[in-house]
Amino acid sequence: MVNPRLDPEEELRQMSQRRPPYYWESLNFPELMKEYPPPPDYFNTIYRMPRDQIRDLQEKRFKTQIDRAWDVPFYARRWKAAGLDKSDIRSIADITKIPAYTVSDIRDSIALQPPFGEFMGVSPEDGKRMPLVIQTSGGTTGLPRAMLYSPRDREIMAILGSRRLTMHGVRPGDLVQVTRAMGLPNGGFAVREALWKYTGAVPVMTGSGNITPTRRQIEIMQAWGVSILVGFPAYLRHMALFARDEMKIDPRSLGIRALDSNLGVEDRKTVEDLWGARCHDFYGAHETGMVAADCLYRNGMHIQEDAFIVEILDPQTGQPVPDGSKGNLCVTSLFKYSAPLIRYNISDVSCKMHGTCDCGSTLQRLERIFGRSDNMIKLRGVNVFPEAVGALVAAESRSTGEFICVVERVGAAGQDEMTVMVEAADNSVDRAKLQADLQVRFREALSVKLLVNIVSRGELDPLTGLSKNTKANRLLDKRKS
Ligand SMILES: [Zn+2]
């Protein structure tokens, strides 16, 4: 039996005298609201700011971030190794001198200084002087990557999130059902903080399907009068089909006004038709916060340029590409204190758009996310993204929209082949016909031959993990096993 030796006097002294850092004292809120205006001020200021003023604001914030980064061992180490010293980085014009980094550099940094990595720049010990919180990536393999957020990081992220949700139709008094995972992953909590603190809407945190089963999600939506849904596109589709086919409830009768989802290449129209509501896209990661979100016109995602510099880099050369060309998204944060972010190449493929949006915003737009360059499979010289396959499957009404891409090395020549397993919508579907039609469609749209295997509804769930995780696994690479 363990009988801890307690010193009641000492315990009482600590409890009654040691003052923790309180959240409400950790920030100058009125000042922060001016620096990073939440709605509605954002839409009257940054959103329509002349380009030269945006650039001036970015320059000022960029300098502060570079100074901060030099104090973080990860950057000091890498930049010195690249032959840079402090006088080399004076303005945004110097940004391409700075070596970009990827998630594998973050993993190396964690190995160098476990468990959080020397890129973090703060440690839990700093909790003695400022309130810290940990959330992680939504990673499904291995330990998730942790992020320690300072109060300022977290508060600005909540503001950036509230701008996105307001652009997507969230208004004060709305009930917003958030079906994103809760626990370590950042996704659910970030939305809750944004909604609760800066939109006047009421978050309804049902979480993913393994926290609140889909049937209960629909019942809550109906009984409480939810008007906005937040979730991954595959889960929004799954919910609508479940309501329609299992509960005999037309999802369009549920009064959902708008859907908020990180669409990637998923087909917007399919999910909009199912719910009878418009669907909005956004882009962000747990390291960055909310980078970009589309407006009512849904014609590209406006970059929050007071908070980020976004570059698109050629995957081969690492050099920035012109607007209109695809490449890897590379993000520089203009506000982060913990784990400052200078040229983080996220390996998500996107493209900056030409021209301006009809909404009148002066902010640059990203066209959409085309897939992950590290999820990309090269088949006979053609780059195939599982996400792009998914968009074609989702557009096929004879399927549930559920799929998984299986890659194998076959034959004596060791050629790579991709088989797309697709769920039929129901038993009445002519499987042979659907298989042939999809093979033709893939060949037309992706310029490469993929094999198709039609399976029964629900059969892919153990492979994709959809009903449990909401973020489905879409690639099974058997070449690695
Ligand atoms: Zn717009």
Side-chain angles (χ1 to χ4, degrees):
M1 290 290 279
V2 177
N3 186 8
R5 283 175 49 164
L6 290 174
D7 177 347
E9 287 295 314
E10 172 59 15
E11 293 288 322
L12 188 62
R13 195 191 64 76
Q14 285 191 8
M15 284 195 293
S16 57
Q17 290 180 11
R18 202 161 146 187
R19 199 171 186 279
Y22 297 139
Y23 194 83
W24 69 273
E25 284 179 325
S26 64
L27 292 168
N28 180 339
F29 283 94
E31 207 48 51
L32 193 63
M33 298 308 111
K34 274 184 236 155
E35 276 186 88
Y36 290 91
D41 292 353
Y42 171 66
F43 299 103
N44 302 312
T45 53
I46 310 289
Y47 197 70
R48 297 161 187 280
M49 195 174 261
R51 293 299 307 170
D52 54 339
Q53 286 180 34
I54 292 174
R55 188 72 178 187
D56 289 348
L57 185 65
Q58 288 184 323
E59 286 287 5
K60 203 174 94 217
R61 292 180 176 175
F62 180 73
K63 283 198 191 83
T64 309
Q65 287 307 106
I66 294 297
D67 288 344
R68 165 67 182 143
W70 276 112
D71 290 336
V72 174
F74 175 78
Y75 291 105
R77 170 171 63 82
R78 290 175 52 84
W79 294 358
K80 278 179 199 153
L84 295 171
D85 72 41
K86 291 191 181 179
S87 62
D88 289 322
I89 313 164
R90 291 165 186 278
S91 75
I92 297 171
D94 298 321
I95 200 167
T96 52
K97 294 181 192 166
I98 303 173
Y101 66 97
T102 66
V103 68
S104 81
D105 298 305
I106 294 182
R107 290 199 189 101
D108 291 347
S109 175
I110 293 171
L112 206 60
Q113 198 184 96
F116 301 116
E118 29 93 90
F119 71 99
M120 198 66 75
V122 298
S123 76
E125 276 287 295
D126 292 300
K128 291 174 182 168
R129 59 182 181 91
M130 60 174 148
L132 296 172
V133 62
I134 288 183
Q135 302 280 179
T136 70
S137 60
T140 47
T141 51
L143 270 184
R145 294 190 310 282
M147 178 61 69
L148 280 156
Y149 299 96
S150 76
R152 186 178 152 84
D153 297 342
R154 200 69 201 169
E155 209 57 41
I156 293 172
M157 284 182 173
I159 293 169
L160 302 181
S162 73
R163 296 168 175 180
R164 145 198 158 197
L165 290 153
T166 301
M167 285 162 87
H168 293 181
V170 171
R171 298 292 175 264
D174 281 336
L175 255 61
V176 180
Q177 190 163 337
V178 182
T179 67
R180 296 181 65 111
M182 285 180 294
L184 281 173
N186 185 47
F189 286 104
V191 176
R192 179 181 192 264
E193 288 162 28
L195 285 169
W196 181 29
K197 295 180 173 183
Y198 294 106
T199 68
V202 184
V204 178
M205 304 303 296
T206 46
S208 57
N210 63 342
I211 304 274
T212 309
T214 304
R215 180 180 299 276
R216 182 53 50 87
Q217 300 254 14
I218 306 285
E219 288 167 353
I220 287 171
M221 195 184 305
Q222 193 169 34
W224 296 4
V226 167
S227 50
I228 312 272
L229 270 182
V230 176
F232 285 104
Y235 192 62
L236 295 180
R237 207 165 53 230
H238 175 77
M239 283 171 101
L241 292 173
F242 190 92
R244 191 188 72 189
D245 301 341
E246 304 291 325
M247 299 172 77
K248 307 297 171 206
I249 296 171
D250 182 350
R252 288 168 297 187
S253 72
L254 290 167
I256 299 298
R257 211 173 61 223
L259 308 159
D260 168 276
S261 195
N262 43 340
L263 280 168
V265 295
E266 298 257 4
D267 180 54
R268 193 193 298 262
K269 193 173 176 304
T270 311
V271 72
E272 289 189 334
D273 288 349
L274 281 167
W275 286 101
R278 63 177 203 265
C279 182
H280 285 283
D281 197 4
F282 66 83
Y283 179 75
H286 85 289
E287 295 99 339
T288 60
M290 194 45 48
V291 174
D294 65 11
C295 66
L296 284 177
Y297 290 88
R298 290 172 295 157
N299 182 17
M301 299 181 282
H302 292 282
I303 300 170
Q304 306 213 44
E305 290 186 88
D306 60 336
F308 302 99
I309 295 169
V310 173
E311 302 169 85
I312 306 289
L313 305 182
D314 182 310
Q316 262 75 50
T317 65
Q319 290 303 307
V321 299
D323 290 358
S325 303
K326 284 186 197 172
N328 283 334
L329 259 171
C330 182
V331 176
T332 295
S333 167
L334 296 172
F335 67 91
K336 275 202 86 192
Y337 176 79
S338 172
L341 211 85
I342 315 286
R343 298 201 93 206
Y344 179 34
N345 177 349
I346 311 190
S347 305
D348 283 325
V349 178
S350 189
C351 164
K352 276 190 196 173
M353 293 173 75
H354 293 289
T356 52
C357 182
D358 289 344
C359 73
S361 175
T362 49
L363 299 173
Q364 292 181 332
R365 286 170 299 160
L366 292 175
E367 187 174 333
R368 69 189 310 176
I369 303 299
F370 296 97
R372 282 195 62 78
S373 57
D374 54 8
N375 214 3
M376 188 180 80
I377 299 291
K378 215 171 182 107
L379 290 176
R380 296 178 284 286
V382 177
N383 296 333
V384 181
F385 295 106
E387 296 92 336
V389 171
L392 298 169
V393 176
E396 172 54 66
S397 62
R398 289 170 291 172
S399 151
T400 62
E402 289 312 312
F403 74 100
I404 190 163
C405 299
V406 183
V407 183
E408 289 166 294
R409 193 149 285 167
V410 296
Q415 177 158 272
D416 291 342
E417 288 288 357
M418 184 185 282
T419 303
V420 187
M421 298 176 74
V422 177
E423 283 186 5
D426 55 51
N427 289 333
S428 69
V429 170
D430 179 343
R431 293 188 179 203
K433 176 90 170 67
L434 177 57
Q435 179 187 25
D437 290 349
L438 273 176
Q439 281 191 188
V440 171
R441 185 76 195 100
F442 290 151
R443 166 120 230 170
E444 280 170 359
L446 306 171
S447 310
V448 68
K449 185 186 169 196
L450 307 183
L451 305 171
V452 175
N453 181 6
I454 306 294
V455 300
S456 302
R457 184 171 183 159
E459 204 174 315
L460 294 180
D461 192 61
L463 295 174
T464 61
L466 179 68
S467 66
K468 295 205 164 48
N469 299 323
T470 69
K471 187 175 184 175
N473 179 29
R474 299 302 188 191
L475 178 66
L476 189 59
D477 194 344
K478 292 189 169 175
R479 297 171 304 175
K480 290 171 185 164
S481 54

